[in-house]
């Protein structure tokens, strides 16, 4: 991970345009291609950021981060006036995040009974930015990546989107689609998922456990 403390101006262009005027900021560049620009206010959320996959181009007084967004391109242009600190840290191989509690149980139960029309290929399908919970195939043989959450949020959709980008770059996996499965899916997450071609499935833990019969079907889209 690279941490840069610099006086800089940040311009974002793409689906919208935004400018952060010149000020002292922290720029975080992670090995997965994530770039975050933080100010010393506003809590934990960065002032601007770009999620992977990205292309990062660097000049002595400028860092440009580019990302394809369909037919267009998102672009983060960081113009550096003064560098106060520029350090890199080897974070080592991070231990895989282990799901606990409800999410872990949901993953185990859905591995035994995948969403309707899917058959399990593998749990914890690896990508270079982390594992997707379940890799399945549908009735047509198409790959389907299933990400499981207790509550489906916009962040969960973003996470699955990143996984799909990495999976679809693998040979023979270009037609992989995504499914977000959760006990509850937030309305905003449904809207974003729909815009990105990701299906949303709400699951009933009591039904999966066999504690009660489903009302109509086990899965409600």
């Amino acid at each position: 991970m690279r941490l840069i403390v610099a006086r800089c101006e940040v311009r974002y262009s793409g689906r919208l345009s935004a400018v952060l005027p010149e000020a002292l900021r922290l720029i975080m560049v992670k090995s997965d291609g994530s770039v975050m620009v933080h100010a010393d206010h506003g809590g934990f959320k960065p002032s601007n950021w770009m999620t992977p996959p990205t292309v990062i181009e660097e000049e002595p007084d400028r860092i440009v981060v580019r990302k394809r967004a369909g037919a267009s391109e998102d672009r983060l242009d960081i113009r550096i006036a003064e560098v106060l600190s520029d350090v890199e840290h080897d974070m080592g191989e991070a231990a895989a995040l282990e799901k606990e509690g409800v999410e872990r149980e949901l993953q185990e139960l859905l591995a035994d009974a995948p969403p309707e029309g899917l058959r399990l290929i593998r749990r914890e399908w690896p990508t270079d930015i982390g594992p997707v919970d379940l890799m399945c195939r549908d009735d047509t043989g198409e790959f389907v990546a299933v990400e499981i959450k207790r509550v489906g949020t916009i962040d969960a959709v973003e996470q699955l989107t990143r996984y799909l980008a990495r999976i679809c770059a693998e040979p023979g996996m270009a037609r992989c689609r995504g499914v977000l499965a959760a006990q509850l899916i937030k309305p905003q997450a449904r809207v974003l998922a729909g815009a990105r071609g990701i299906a949303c499935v709400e699951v009933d833990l009591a039904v999966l456990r066999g504690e009660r019969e489903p009302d109509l079907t086990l899965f409600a889209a």
Side-chain angles (χ1 to χ4, degrees), residues 24-119:
L24 194 61
R25 296 188 173 87
L26 169 64
I27 304 166
M28 299 177 63
V29 183
K30 298 176 69 175
S31 59
D32 65 359
S34 304
V35 177
M36 291 164 282
V37 181
H38 285 272
D40 194 22
H41 57 78
F44 66 90
K45 187 175 181 180
S47 303
N48 217 322
W49 67 93
M50 197 82 82
T51 57
T54 59
V55 174
I56 301 174
E57 301 167 345
E58 188 169 353
E59 300 174 11
D61 60 351
R62 186 180 183 190
I63 298 174
V64 177
V65 186
R66 297 186 291 110
K67 176 178 179 177
R68 296 297 302 175
S72 62
E73 180 180 77
D74 289 345
R75 182 183 178 101
L76 199 61
D77 194 336
I78 305 170
R79 299 178 182 270
I80 298 174
E82 180 186 9
V83 176
L84 278 68
S85 175
D86 186 349
V87 295
E88 291 191 44
H89 298 278
D90 184 356
M91 306 296 286
E93 185 176 350
L97 176 65
E98 291 189 5
K99 290 182 177 285
E100 297 181 355
V102 172
E103 285 189 15
R104 184 179 183 85
E105 185 177 6
L106 281 172
Q107 186 189 90
E108 292 170 350
L109 292 170
L110 286 173
D112 292 335
E116 187 175 352
L118 303 182
R119 56 186 174 87

Side-chain angles (χ1 to χ4, degrees), residues 15 30-36 46 49-54 67-68 97 125-133 135 145-147 149 153-170 173 176-180 192-193 196 198:
R15 287 159 290 183
K30 298 176 69 175
S31 59
D32 65 359
S34 304
V35 177
M36 291 164 282
W49 67 93
M50 197 82 82
T51 57
T54 59
K67 176 178 179 177
R68 296 297 302 175
L97 176 65
W125 182 277
T127 79
D128 56 2
I129 58 172
V132 68
D133 290 323
M135 181 60 74
V146 181
E147 184 63 20
K149 299 292 183 186
T153 63
I154 285 177
D155 286 344
V157 177
E158 293 283 8
Q159 181 182 0
L160 182 51
T161 299
R162 294 194 295 271
Y163 287 152
L164 288 170
R166 307 311 295 165
I167 292 167
C168 290
E170 298 177 18
M173 303 289 290
C176 183
R177 60 186 178 88
V179 172
L180 175 61
L192 182 60
R196 296 186 177 179
I198 293 173

Side-chain angles (χ1 to χ4, degrees), residues 10 19 39 64 71 80 83 87 94 102 120 153 174-175 190 203 211 216:
V10 183
V19 178
V64 177
I80 298 174
V83 176
V87 295
V102 172
L120 180 68
T153 63
R175 293 185 58 80
R190 285 187 180 275
V203 295
E211 296 173 352
L216 292 175

